Amino acid sequence: VNPGIPRIDSRQSDPLRCTYCRAYLNPYTKWLSNGSFECNLCFKKNNTKDQMYPREACQYGTVEYVVGGPYIMDQERIQGNTWSIVAVDVGQAGLVSNYLRVLEQLLCQYERDCQGSNGSTNGASTDAIHLGFLFFLETQVIVPYFKNDNLECVVMSDVMDDPFGPLPLDQFCFNVSSPIQIQKLKTIVAKAPEILPLQQAQLHGGSRNCSGAILKVMIELLKGHKGRGSIVTSSHPTTGFANLPKRFGNYEQYLQMYSRRLTERQLYTPLQKHKSDNNPTPVAQQQKNATVSSVYQRLGKECQENGITIDILITVPDDSFEFRDVATLSEFCRQGCGEIRMIEYCSDGGDAGMFREVLYEELSRLTKATAQDAIFKLRLCQGLRINKFLTPSGRIRDDFGLNESYELEMASVSPSTTLCIMLEHKVGGIVDYSSNKNSSNTPSPMAFFQTAFLYTLGHERILRVSTLALPTTNSAQDLFRCADLPVITSTWTRMAITDILERDGTLSEARDQMMKRCVAVLAMYRLNTQARNSPMGQLILPEALQLLPLFVLSIRKSTLLRPPLPLQATRSQSQHPSPTADQRALTMDYSKRILPDMGFLCVHPNLYDVTDLGDNYGKVYTPSVSKQGGDTSHGGRRDSRDTRLQEMSCQPYIPLPPLTHPSISCLEDDKVYILDEGYGIYVYVGKSVANDKRYDLFVEGEASTASPKSLTISNQSEYGNRILNILKALREFCPRPNVPTVQIVLAGVAGYEMREEVFRSFLVDDSTSHEKGYVDFLCFLHKRIKHFLNDEGYTGWSK
C-alpha cells in the first residue's frame, strides 16, 4: 500500500473505461466538446452518457480504485480471512530446537503486532491471518490441535500413495490477531518436544523425509480457501508421495556429470522441462523422471487453479554437497508464485544466531499478509503489441488466442514482485492522433502504456491503474542517450535464463548469446550515431551504457553462467564443483524475479574497505536544511517549496565507505573488507590485521577463538557498531530476492578455507581459467564489433 497514490471508491459504480479497448480513464484521455472523450490507446470516441468520473483519474498517472461487484473473485478473502500453514521437518533432531525457537520468535512478533494494532491485549482484527502448524517425519504427518482446551495430535501415516488433510483448517489454524489464540500456538511450540516422536528422528538421523506428501496435504487443505503454505525442511522429498528420484548411483558418478555439458544441464534443469531429445540419461531413469515430472506439473497446476502459494525453505550444512534437485522444486514453487530458499548453517554449531535470524526473517516475510488473487494486464497503444513475458510467476491466460488479450494471474504478490515484458512494433508503427499531425513542427507521436493490476489486500479488492506516456524518436542518438542500464541488466539476465531453460541451450551457448547482444548494441551505436566519425582503433561506448561491457563480462563469470570449476581450498575438497547444480538452479530462480536495482550488483559485487572508517562512515547522519541557496528569485526570498523539498530529503542515513575494485590485486593482508554480492554479504579479515582491530571487531573472547565460524561482530565497541550499521544499511539497500546472510571470512585460518575460496570467486575483475580480465575483454569486444560490422556488409563504417 502506497499512501501517496490517490484512492477512489468505486464500489457503487465501476471505473469509467473505453467501451472498445477497455482502457481506463487517464490524464492523456482527450475530452471533446460534447462531453464525450477519445481514448488515447485506440483513438475511438466514447459517449459518457452523463456518467460521473473522478477528477483524480484525469490528474494522476497512477490511481487506485476500491472496487466491488464483478471485480470480486473470492468473497472469503474480501471478508479478510487469510490462511497460512507452516510445516516443519522434525526428522533431524539437531535442527528441531532451532526451528522451534524461530517459531516462538515469530509468534512473539505477532503478539507485539496485535498489541500495537489494538492498543490492548484483547480483541481481534477483522483482517485475520489464520496460522497453523504441521510437523512431519519420514512416514508421518502430525497435526496438533486443541479439543476442549486440551492439546492433542492427529497423525496421518498415508504418505505414500494418497496423502490427505486429516483435519479441516479451522480446527488447527488460529487467528494471530487474537492474543488468546496466539497463546494456543505458543503452547503447541512449547510442548512440541513432548508430543513429537523425536526419538524416532534421532534413530533415523533425519536423512529422509516425506516433504512431497506435505505438498499434497497443504494443497488439499487450502483448496477452497486459498492461502499460503511454507515448508521448513532439511532435505528434498526422499520418500513417499512425489519423492524426487536419485539421479546417480554414487558420488563419483555425480562428479562425472559435471564434466559433460549435457549431463550437467540435466541437474540444473527442472524435471518439468526435461525433453527426450539429446538426453544422455538412461531410458529407465528418463521414465522415472517423467513420472515424477507429471506429478509436480499436476501439483503446480492445482496451485494455479486454486490460488495457492507454496514456499520451501531448505536448511543445509555449509560443508554439504548433497544434490537436492532445487531446480524441480523451484519450478513447482514458481507456478503458484511461491519462493524457494536454501539457508546454510555451520555443521560444527557456529553461526547458530545468524542462522536463526535469517530463518526467522524469511519465515516472517512469507507468513505476513500479502496481496492475493492478483491479475495483471498491460494495454498498449496502436502500433505496439506484447511479444512475451520473460520468466513470469503464475499463469498466463490468452483466452482469445491474440497477444493483445494476455492476462497474468498470480496467487500472491509482494512489494518486490517484478514483471518483465518484451514488446514489439506492429506493421505501420505508432499512430499519431494529434490534430495538427501535418505540421512540420509537430513532435513525434507519443507511445502509451497502461497497466491494470487487480488484487485483494485485507478486506478490500483494489484496482491499481498506471498510465505512462513516452515520446518516440527516429534518432538513434536520442535512443542511446535515454538507455536505462539497470533495466537492460535485469532483462538480459532473464533472457540468459530463457536461453538455457526454454531453448535447451548450454551454459556456453548462453554466454555466447550474452556477448552477441552486447556486440550488436554497441555496433549499432557505432553505425547510427556520431560515433561513426571516431577513429576505427577506438572503442566508443554510449554515455548511458559505459558499464555494459563490465556487466556482460561479470555475468559470464557469475554463478549463473560460469562453468563448474573445482574448489581448490584443500586437497580433500578439490573435487567439489563450484557452483553446484543446486546453487546454479537457486541463482536462476532468484534471477527470474530480479529487480533492476539488483541486476548489476548480483553479478558485479560491491567491495568496501572498512579498515579505517574515518569520522563519518558507519555513523547515522541526518542532513540539515541549507541556510543558503535555494530559489531566491522572488525578491531575494527562498521559495518555500524548495525549503520543503530539502526538509523532505533530509532523512537519516548511514554513509558507506568508497568502493574498491573486486580484484585480488586490491586486497591487502592488513585490511578488513565487506563484499556485497547481492545474495549474501561477506566480512573479510586479512591474515595480517592487527589484534587490536580484531578485538574491536569481534565479541570479546572470540577474536582468537579456536572454533571456526563461531565469530560474532561486537556491538560493544564503536568500530563493531559502525560495521553493524554498514551491514544493516547494505541489507536494507533495496528489496532482494532473499534475506542475505552475513558470513565472516578469516584469511589464512584453518576452517575458513572454503569460505575464502568462495569469497575469492566473487572477485570478478580478475581473469579466470575460462574468462579474460576486463582490459583484455574490452580489446576482444572491440574486435568482435569490427567483425560484426564487416560481416553484415556495413562497408565504410569507420570513415
Side-chain angles (χ1 to χ4, degrees), residues 342-383:
M342 284 181 64
I343 305 174
E344 292 187 353
Y345 63 90
C346 292
S347 55
D348 61 1
D351 282 358
M354 174 57 68
F355 167 68
R356 289 194 298 269
E357 178 185 349
V358 172
L359 181 58
Y360 164 73
E361 291 185 25
E362 292 282 14
L363 200 56
S364 176
R365 183 170 58 87
L366 295 176
T367 55
K368 292 293 184 182
T370 56
Q372 312 286 340
D373 293 335
I375 300 177
F376 174 87
K377 188 173 182 66
L378 172 64
R379 292 182 173 87
L380 305 169
C381 65
Q382 291 188 13

mmCIF file of all heavy atoms in Angstrom, residues 342-383:
data_model
loop_
_atom_site.group_PDB
_atom_site.id
_atom_site.type_symbol
_atom_site.label_atom_id
_atom_site.label_comp_id
_atom_site.label_asym_id
_atom_site.label_seq_id
_atom_site.Cartn_x
_atom_site.Cartn_y
_atom_site.Cartn_z
ATOM 1 N N MET A 342 17.525 -21.621 0.168
ATOM 2 C CA MET A 342 18.488 -22.524 0.795
ATOM 3 C C MET A 342 19.237 -21.707 1.835
ATOM 4 O O MET A 342 19.906 -20.730 1.503
ATOM 5 C CB MET A 342 19.454 -23.119 -0.234
ATOM 6 C CG MET A 342 18.850 -24.227 -1.078
ATOM 7 S SD MET A 342 20.023 -24.939 -2.272
ATOM 8 C CE MET A 342 21.243 -25.648 -1.162
ATOM 9 N N ILE A 343 19.085 -22.099 3.093
ATOM 10 C CA ILE A 343 19.692 -21.363 4.201
ATOM 11 C C ILE A 343 20.779 -22.232 4.810
ATOM 12 O O ILE A 343 20.504 -23.327 5.302
ATOM 13 C CB ILE A 343 18.632 -20.987 5.258
ATOM 14 C CG1 ILE A 343 17.491 -20.206 4.594
ATOM 15 C CG2 ILE A 343 19.256 -20.177 6.383
ATOM 16 C CD1 ILE A 343 16.339 -19.911 5.521
ATOM 17 N N GLU A 344 22.010 -21.757 4.756
ATOM 18 C CA GLU A 344 23.135 -22.532 5.256
ATOM 19 C C GLU A 344 23.321 -22.339 6.759
ATOM 20 O O GLU A 344 23.046 -21.272 7.303
ATOM 21 C CB GLU A 344 24.425 -22.136 4.535
ATOM 22 C CG GLU A 344 24.466 -22.538 3.071
ATOM 23 C CD GLU A 344 25.832 -22.277 2.452
ATOM 24 O OE1 GLU A 344 26.690 -21.665 3.115
ATOM 25 O OE2 GLU A 344 26.056 -22.695 1.297
ATOM 26 N N TYR A 345 23.783 -23.397 7.399
ATOM 27 C CA TYR A 345 24.177 -23.321 8.802
ATOM 28 C C TYR A 345 25.491 -24.068 8.960
ATOM 29 O O TYR A 345 25.853 -24.926 8.142
ATOM 30 C CB TYR A 345 23.100 -23.924 9.716
ATOM 31 C CG TYR A 345 22.845 -25.395 9.506
ATOM 32 C CD1 TYR A 345 23.562 -26.370 10.208
ATOM 33 C CD2 TYR A 345 21.876 -25.833 8.605
ATOM 34 C CE1 TYR A 345 23.326 -27.725 10.017
ATOM 35 C CE2 TYR A 345 21.635 -27.182 8.401
ATOM 36 C CZ TYR A 345 22.367 -28.119 9.101
ATOM 37 O OH TYR A 345 22.138 -29.454 8.903
ATOM 38 N N CYS A 346 26.230 -23.739 9.997
ATOM 39 C CA CYS A 346 27.531 -24.366 10.225
ATOM 40 C C CYS A 346 27.341 -25.743 10.831
ATOM 41 O O CYS A 346 26.641 -25.905 11.841
ATOM 42 C CB CYS A 346 28.395 -23.502 11.149
ATOM 43 S SG CYS A 346 28.892 -21.955 10.402
ATOM 44 N N SER A 347 27.952 -26.715 10.221
ATOM 45 C CA SER A 347 27.811 -28.082 10.718
ATOM 46 C C SER A 347 28.456 -28.268 12.078
ATOM 47 O O SER A 347 28.105 -29.194 12.813
ATOM 48 C CB SER A 347 28.434 -29.059 9.717
ATOM 49 O OG SER A 347 29.786 -28.708 9.447
ATOM 50 N N ASP A 348 29.397 -27.372 12.453
ATOM 51 C CA ASP A 348 30.047 -27.506 13.753
ATOM 52 C C ASP A 348 29.341 -26.706 14.843
ATOM 53 O O ASP A 348 29.843 -26.595 15.965
ATOM 54 C CB ASP A 348 31.512 -27.075 13.658
ATOM 55 C CG ASP A 348 31.669 -25.619 13.242
ATOM 56 O OD1 ASP A 348 30.631 -24.948 13.045
ATOM 57 O OD2 ASP A 348 32.814 -25.157 13.115
ATOM 58 N N GLY A 349 28.181 -26.123 14.521
ATOM 59 C CA GLY A 349 27.407 -25.399 15.525
ATOM 60 C C GLY A 349 27.655 -23.914 15.564
ATOM 61 O O GLY A 349 26.967 -23.192 16.285
ATOM 62 N N GLY A 350 28.636 -23.412 14.818
ATOM 63 C CA GLY A 350 28.890 -21.982 14.799
ATOM 64 C C GLY A 350 27.827 -21.241 14.007
ATOM 65 O O GLY A 350 27.075 -21.807 13.218
ATOM 66 N N ASP A 351 27.767 -19.934 14.184
ATOM 67 C CA ASP A 351 26.831 -19.069 13.462
ATOM 68 C C ASP A 351 25.374 -19.448 13.690
ATOM 69 O O ASP A 351 24.509 -19.168 12.847
ATOM 70 C CB ASP A 351 27.114 -19.099 11.956
ATOM 71 C CG ASP A 351 28.315 -18.236 11.583
ATOM 72 O OD1 ASP A 351 28.877 -17.615 12.489
ATOM 73 O OD2 ASP A 351 28.683 -18.220 10.412
ATOM 74 N N ALA A 352 25.059 -20.094 14.810
ATOM 75 C CA ALA A 352 23.673 -20.503 15.056
ATOM 76 C C ALA A 352 22.754 -19.288 15.160
ATOM 77 O O ALA A 352 21.606 -19.331 14.713
ATOM 78 C CB ALA A 352 23.589 -21.347 16.326
ATOM 79 N N GLY A 353 23.267 -18.203 15.750
ATOM 80 C CA GLY A 353 22.451 -16.999 15.880
ATOM 81 C C GLY A 353 22.091 -16.405 14.529
ATOM 82 O O GLY A 353 20.944 -16.026 14.293
ATOM 83 N N MET A 354 23.075 -16.324 13.613
ATOM 84 C CA MET A 354 22.810 -15.802 12.275
ATOM 85 C C MET A 354 21.854 -16.716 11.515
ATOM 86 O O MET A 354 20.964 -16.257 10.798
ATOM 87 C CB MET A 354 24.126 -15.646 11.511
ATOM 88 C CG MET A 354 23.968 -15.242 10.044
ATOM 89 S SD MET A 354 23.056 -13.700 9.797
ATOM 90 C CE MET A 354 24.222 -12.531 10.484
ATOM 91 N N PHE A 355 22.031 -18.041 11.685
ATOM 92 C CA PHE A 355 21.143 -18.997 11.022
ATOM 93 C C PHE A 355 19.697 -18.781 11.460
ATOM 94 O O PHE A 355 18.787 -18.709 10.629
ATOM 95 C CB PHE A 355 21.602 -20.424 11.340
ATOM 96 C CG PHE A 355 20.601 -21.479 10.980
ATOM 97 C CD1 PHE A 355 20.282 -21.746 9.658
ATOM 98 C CD2 PHE A 355 19.964 -22.220 11.969
ATOM 99 C CE1 PHE A 355 19.347 -22.722 9.320
ATOM 100 C CE2 PHE A 355 19.034 -23.188 11.655
ATOM 101 C CZ PHE A 355 18.730 -23.445 10.326
ATOM 102 N N ARG A 356 19.462 -18.651 12.761
ATOM 103 C CA ARG A 356 18.094 -18.446 13.254
ATOM 104 C C ARG A 356 17.552 -17.094 12.807
ATOM 105 O O ARG A 356 16.361 -16.970 12.492
ATOM 106 C CB ARG A 356 18.052 -18.576 14.768
ATOM 107 C CG ARG A 356 18.232 -19.997 15.273
ATOM 108 C CD ARG A 356 17.848 -20.105 16.744
ATOM 109 N NE ARG A 356 18.698 -19.278 17.591
ATOM 110 C CZ ARG A 356 19.824 -19.698 18.158
ATOM 111 N NH1 ARG A 356 20.235 -20.935 17.963
ATOM 112 N NH2 ARG A 356 20.530 -18.891 18.914
ATOM 113 N N GLU A 357 18.407 -16.082 12.773
ATOM 114 C CA GLU A 357 17.959 -14.751 12.362
ATOM 115 C C GLU A 357 17.485 -14.750 10.913
ATOM 116 O O GLU A 357 16.415 -14.214 10.588
ATOM 117 C CB GLU A 357 19.099 -13.744 12.534
ATOM 118 C CG GLU A 357 18.738 -12.332 12.071
ATOM 119 C CD GLU A 357 19.917 -11.372 12.146
ATOM 120 O OE1 GLU A 357 20.949 -11.730 12.753
ATOM 121 O OE2 GLU A 357 19.802 -10.266 11.584
ATOM 122 N N VAL A 358 18.266 -15.381 10.033
ATOM 123 C CA VAL A 358 17.889 -15.421 8.621
ATOM 124 C C VAL A 358 16.623 -16.259 8.437
ATOM 125 O O VAL A 358 15.706 -15.872 7.701
ATOM 126 C CB VAL A 358 19.044 -15.977 7.769
ATOM 127 C CG1 VAL A 358 18.595 -16.195 6.330
ATOM 128 C CG2 VAL A 358 20.235 -15.036 7.819
ATOM 129 N N LEU A 359 16.546 -17.413 9.110
ATOM 130 C CA LEU A 359 15.361 -18.261 9.005
ATOM 131 C C LEU A 359 14.127 -17.526 9.506
ATOM 132 O O LEU A 359 13.045 -17.604 8.895
ATOM 133 C CB LEU A 359 15.577 -19.552 9.789
ATOM 134 C CG LEU A 359 14.424 -20.565 9.764
ATOM 135 C CD1 LEU A 359 14.097 -20.978 8.338
ATOM 136 C CD2 LEU A 359 14.769 -21.791 10.610
ATOM 137 N N TYR A 360 14.267 -16.786 10.606
ATOM 138 C CA TYR A 360 13.137 -16.023 11.139
ATOM 139 C C TYR A 360 12.686 -14.950 10.146
ATOM 140 O O TYR A 360 11.487 -14.786 9.887
ATOM 141 C CB TYR A 360 13.515 -15.380 12.468
ATOM 142 C CG TYR A 360 12.567 -14.279 12.883
ATOM 143 C CD1 TYR A 360 11.295 -14.568 13.343
ATOM 144 C CD2 TYR A 360 12.943 -12.932 12.777
ATOM 145 C CE1 TYR A 360 10.414 -13.553 13.699
ATOM 146 C CE2 TYR A 360 12.080 -11.924 13.124
ATOM 147 C CZ TYR A 360 10.817 -12.234 13.586
ATOM 148 O OH TYR A 360 9.950 -11.237 13.926
ATOM 149 N N GLU A 361 13.647 -14.196 9.589
ATOM 150 C CA GLU A 361 13.280 -13.130 8.663
ATOM 151 C C GLU A 361 12.602 -13.687 7.416
ATOM 152 O O GLU A 361 11.635 -13.105 6.911
ATOM 153 C CB GLU A 361 14.527 -12.323 8.281
ATOM 154 C CG GLU A 361 15.093 -11.484 9.425
ATOM 155 C CD GLU A 361 16.251 -10.612 8.977
ATOM 156 O OE1 GLU A 361 16.324 -10.288 7.784
ATOM 157 O OE2 GLU A 361 17.091 -10.252 9.817
ATOM 158 N N GLU A 362 13.109 -14.815 6.904
ATOM 159 C CA GLU A 362 12.473 -15.418 5.732
ATOM 160 C C GLU A 362 11.060 -15.890 6.067
ATOM 161 O O GLU A 362 10.109 -15.626 5.325
ATOM 162 C CB GLU A 362 13.314 -16.606 5.233
ATOM 163 C CG GLU A 362 14.655 -16.230 4.635
ATOM 164 C CD GLU A 362 14.530 -15.697 3.218
ATOM 165 O OE1 GLU A 362 13.399 -15.371 2.794
ATOM 166 O OE2 GLU A 362 15.555 -15.584 2.537
ATOM 167 N N LEU A 363 10.909 -16.593 7.184
ATOM 168 C CA LEU A 363 9.606 -17.136 7.550
ATOM 169 C C LEU A 363 8.632 -16.019 7.900
ATOM 170 O O LEU A 363 7.441 -16.082 7.559
ATOM 171 C CB LEU A 363 9.766 -18.102 8.724
ATOM 172 C CG LEU A 363 8.645 -19.117 8.956
ATOM 173 C CD1 LEU A 363 8.406 -19.948 7.708
ATOM 174 C CD2 LEU A 363 8.975 -20.016 10.134
ATOM 175 N N SER A 364 9.123 -14.980 8.566
ATOM 176 C CA SER A 364 8.256 -13.861 8.922
ATOM 177 C C SER A 364 7.739 -13.161 7.675
ATOM 178 O O SER A 364 6.552 -12.810 7.588
ATOM 179 C CB SER A 364 9.032 -12.869 9.793
ATOM 180 O OG SER A 364 8.258 -11.734 10.082
ATOM 181 N N ARG A 365 8.593 -12.994 6.694
ATOM 182 C CA ARG A 365 8.181 -12.321 5.454
ATOM 183 C C ARG A 365 7.166 -13.154 4.685
ATOM 184 O O ARG A 365 6.222 -12.621 4.089
ATOM 185 C CB ARG A 365 9.414 -12.061 4.590
ATOM 186 C CG ARG A 365 9.139 -11.300 3.320
ATOM 187 C CD ARG A 365 10.449 -10.883 2.679
ATOM 188 N NE ARG A 365 11.281 -12.044 2.411
ATOM 189 C CZ ARG A 365 11.192 -12.765 1.296
ATOM 190 N NH1 ARG A 365 10.295 -12.454 0.388
ATOM 191 N NH2 ARG A 365 11.984 -13.786 1.090
ATOM 192 N N LEU A 366 7.325 -14.485 4.711
ATOM 193 C CA LEU A 366 6.440 -15.343 3.935
ATOM 194 C C LEU A 366 5.076 -15.527 4.591
ATOM 195 O O LEU A 366 4.089 -15.792 3.902
ATOM 196 C CB LEU A 366 7.099 -16.710 3.721
ATOM 197 C CG LEU A 366 8.382 -16.711 2.870
ATOM 198 C CD1 LEU A 366 8.986 -18.096 2.828
ATOM 199 C CD2 LEU A 366 8.107 -16.201 1.467
ATOM 200 N N THR A 367 5.013 -15.412 5.907
ATOM 201 C CA THR A 367 3.741 -15.637 6.595
ATOM 202 C C THR A 367 2.961 -14.353 6.838
ATOM 203 O O THR A 367 1.841 -14.405 7.337
ATOM 204 C CB THR A 367 3.978 -16.348 7.941
ATOM 205 O OG1 THR A 367 4.909 -15.592 8.730
ATOM 206 C CG2 THR A 367 4.532 -17.742 7.730
ATOM 207 N N LYS A 368 3.540 -13.205 6.527
ATOM 208 C CA LYS A 368 2.812 -11.954 6.679
ATOM 209 C C LYS A 368 1.763 -11.832 5.580
ATOM 210 O O LYS A 368 1.848 -12.461 4.523
ATOM 211 C CB LYS A 368 3.769 -10.762 6.611
ATOM 212 C CG LYS A 368 4.736 -10.664 7.793
ATOM 213 C CD LYS A 368 4.020 -10.352 9.083
ATOM 214 C CE LYS A 368 5.018 -10.162 10.227
ATOM 215 N NZ LYS A 368 4.348 -9.898 11.515
ATOM 216 N N ALA A 369 0.774 -10.971 5.838
ATOM 217 C CA ALA A 369 -0.286 -10.765 4.854
ATOM 218 C C ALA A 369 0.280 -10.111 3.599
ATOM 219 O O ALA A 369 1.008 -9.122 3.668
ATOM 220 C CB ALA A 369 -1.386 -9.889 5.447
ATOM 221 N N THR A 370 -0.009 -10.677 2.436
ATOM 222 C CA THR A 370 0.399 -10.119 1.158
ATOM 223 C C THR A 370 -0.823 -9.999 0.260
ATOM 224 O O THR A 370 -1.899 -10.506 0.573
ATOM 225 C CB THR A 370 1.447 -11.014 0.466
ATOM 226 O OG1 THR A 370 0.907 -12.346 0.328
ATOM 227 C CG2 THR A 370 2.729 -11.072 1.272
ATOM 228 N N ALA A 371 -0.654 -9.313 -0.848
ATOM 229 C CA ALA A 371 -1.749 -9.190 -1.798
ATOM 230 C C ALA A 371 -2.027 -10.549 -2.433
ATOM 231 O O ALA A 371 -1.100 -11.291 -2.762
ATOM 232 C CB ALA A 371 -1.414 -8.154 -2.866
ATOM 233 N N GLN A 372 -3.287 -10.876 -2.608
ATOM 234 C CA GLN A 372 -3.701 -12.184 -3.111
ATOM 235 C C GLN A 372 -4.581 -12.015 -4.349
ATOM 236 O O GLN A 372 -5.051 -10.925 -4.666
ATOM 237 C CB GLN A 372 -4.487 -12.936 -2.023
ATOM 238 C CG GLN A 372 -3.847 -12.948 -0.653
ATOM 239 C CD GLN A 372 -2.652 -13.883 -0.565
ATOM 240 O OE1 GLN A 372 -2.506 -14.783 -1.389
ATOM 241 N NE2 GLN A 372 -1.811 -13.693 0.426
ATOM 242 N N ASP A 373 -4.804 -13.144 -5.036
ATOM 243 C CA ASP A 373 -5.743 -13.186 -6.177
ATOM 244 C C ASP A 373 -5.465 -12.055 -7.165
ATOM 245 O O ASP A 373 -6.366 -11.311 -7.561
ATOM 246 C CB ASP A 373 -7.191 -13.076 -5.686
ATOM 247 C CG ASP A 373 -7.615 -14.284 -4.879
ATOM 248 O OD1 ASP A 373 -7.028 -15.355 -5.085
ATOM 249 O OD2 ASP A 373 -8.523 -14.153 -4.046
ATOM 250 N N ALA A 374 -4.237 -11.923 -7.587
ATOM 251 C CA ALA A 374 -3.853 -10.798 -8.435
ATOM 252 C C ALA A 374 -4.008 -11.138 -9.912
ATOM 253 O O ALA A 374 -3.758 -12.271 -10.337
ATOM 254 C CB ALA A 374 -2.411 -10.381 -8.139
ATOM 255 N N ILE A 375 -4.423 -10.143 -10.678
ATOM 256 C CA ILE A 375 -4.498 -10.246 -12.132
ATOM 257 C C ILE A 375 -3.825 -9.008 -12.716
ATOM 258 O O ILE A 375 -4.142 -7.877 -12.327
ATOM 259 C CB ILE A 375 -5.949 -10.339 -12.634
ATOM 260 C CG1 ILE A 375 -6.647 -11.575 -12.047
ATOM 261 C CG2 ILE A 375 -5.997 -10.386 -14.154
ATOM 262 C CD1 ILE A 375 -8.111 -11.678 -12.443
ATOM 263 N N PHE A 376 -2.902 -9.249 -13.632
ATOM 264 C CA PHE A 376 -2.156 -8.143 -14.251
ATOM 265 C C PHE A 376 -2.443 -8.136 -15.745
ATOM 266 O O PHE A 376 -2.419 -9.177 -16.403
ATOM 267 C CB PHE A 376 -0.656 -8.315 -14.011
ATOM 268 C CG PHE A 376 0.198 -7.311 -14.742
ATOM 269 C CD1 PHE A 376 0.477 -6.074 -14.187
ATOM 270 C CD2 PHE A 376 0.710 -7.596 -15.996
ATOM 271 C CE1 PHE A 376 1.249 -5.148 -14.862
ATOM 272 C CE2 PHE A 376 1.488 -6.683 -16.683
ATOM 273 C CZ PHE A 376 1.765 -5.449 -16.109
ATOM 274 N N LYS A 377 -2.696 -6.935 -16.279
ATOM 275 C CA LYS A 377 -2.929 -6.796 -17.716
ATOM 276 C C LYS A 377 -2.257 -5.523 -18.206
ATOM 277 O O LYS A 377 -2.323 -4.477 -17.557
ATOM 278 C CB LYS A 377 -4.424 -6.749 -18.034
ATOM 279 C CG LYS A 377 -4.717 -6.798 -19.535
ATOM 280 C CD LYS A 377 -6.194 -6.913 -19.793
ATOM 281 C CE LYS A 377 -6.493 -7.022 -21.291
ATOM 282 N NZ LYS A 377 -5.982 -8.266 -21.876
ATOM 283 N N LEU A 378 -1.592 -5.634 -19.354
ATOM 284 C CA LEU A 378 -0.943 -4.489 -19.984
ATOM 285 C C LEU A 378 -1.669 -4.164 -21.283
ATOM 286 O O LEU A 378 -1.850 -5.031 -22.143
ATOM 287 C CB LEU A 378 0.528 -4.809 -20.273
ATOM 288 C CG LEU A 378 1.306 -3.776 -21.104
ATOM 289 C CD1 LEU A 378 1.401 -2.444 -20.349
ATOM 290 C CD2 LEU A 378 2.684 -4.298 -21.456
ATOM 291 N N ARG A 379 -2.090 -2.902 -21.420
ATOM 292 C CA ARG A 379 -2.706 -2.424 -22.651
ATOM 293 C C ARG A 379 -1.758 -1.444 -23.323
ATOM 294 O O ARG A 379 -1.141 -0.609 -22.652
ATOM 295 C CB ARG A 379 -4.057 -1.762 -22.369
ATOM 296 C CG ARG A 379 -5.124 -2.741 -21.895
ATOM 297 C CD ARG A 379 -6.461 -2.055 -21.664
ATOM 298 N NE ARG A 379 -7.503 -3.024 -21.369
ATOM 299 C CZ ARG A 379 -7.775 -3.473 -20.148
ATOM 300 N NH1 ARG A 379 -7.082 -3.021 -19.106
ATOM 301 N NH2 ARG A 379 -8.739 -4.361 -19.966
ATOM 302 N N LEU A 380 -1.694 -1.526 -24.657
ATOM 303 C CA LEU A 380 -0.749 -0.730 -25.424
ATOM 304 C C LEU A 380 -1.483 0.086 -26.474
ATOM 305 O O LEU A 380 -2.577 -0.275 -26.932
ATOM 306 C CB LEU A 380 0.278 -1.636 -26.112
ATOM 307 C CG LEU A 380 1.051 -2.588 -25.196
ATOM 308 C CD1 LEU A 380 1.834 -3.594 -26.026
ATOM 309 C CD2 LEU A 380 1.988 -1.816 -24.292
ATOM 310 N N CYS A 381 -0.868 1.173 -26.880
ATOM 311 C CA CYS A 381 -1.441 1.989 -27.936
ATOM 312 C C CYS A 381 -1.273 1.285 -29.277
ATOM 313 O O CYS A 381 -0.545 0.286 -29.394
ATOM 314 C CB CYS A 381 -0.778 3.367 -27.973
ATOM 315 S SG CYS A 381 0.975 3.313 -28.418
ATOM 316 N N GLN A 382 -1.915 1.796 -30.279
ATOM 317 C CA GLN A 382 -1.818 1.207 -31.608
ATOM 318 C C GLN A 382 -0.387 1.311 -32.117
ATOM 319 O O GLN A 382 0.270 2.324 -31.962
ATOM 320 C CB GLN A 382 -2.775 1.915 -32.574
ATOM 321 C CG GLN A 382 -4.238 1.653 -32.272
ATOM 322 C CD GLN A 382 -5.153 2.199 -33.350
ATOM 323 O OE1 GLN A 382 -4.701 2.565 -34.440
ATOM 324 N NE2 GLN A 382 -6.445 2.252 -33.067
ATOM 325 N N GLY A 383 0.067 0.227 -32.731
ATOM 326 C CA GLY A 383 1.430 0.186 -33.241
ATOM 327 C C GLY A 383 2.362 -0.651 -32.391
ATOM 328 O O GLY A 383 3.478 -0.955 -32.810
#
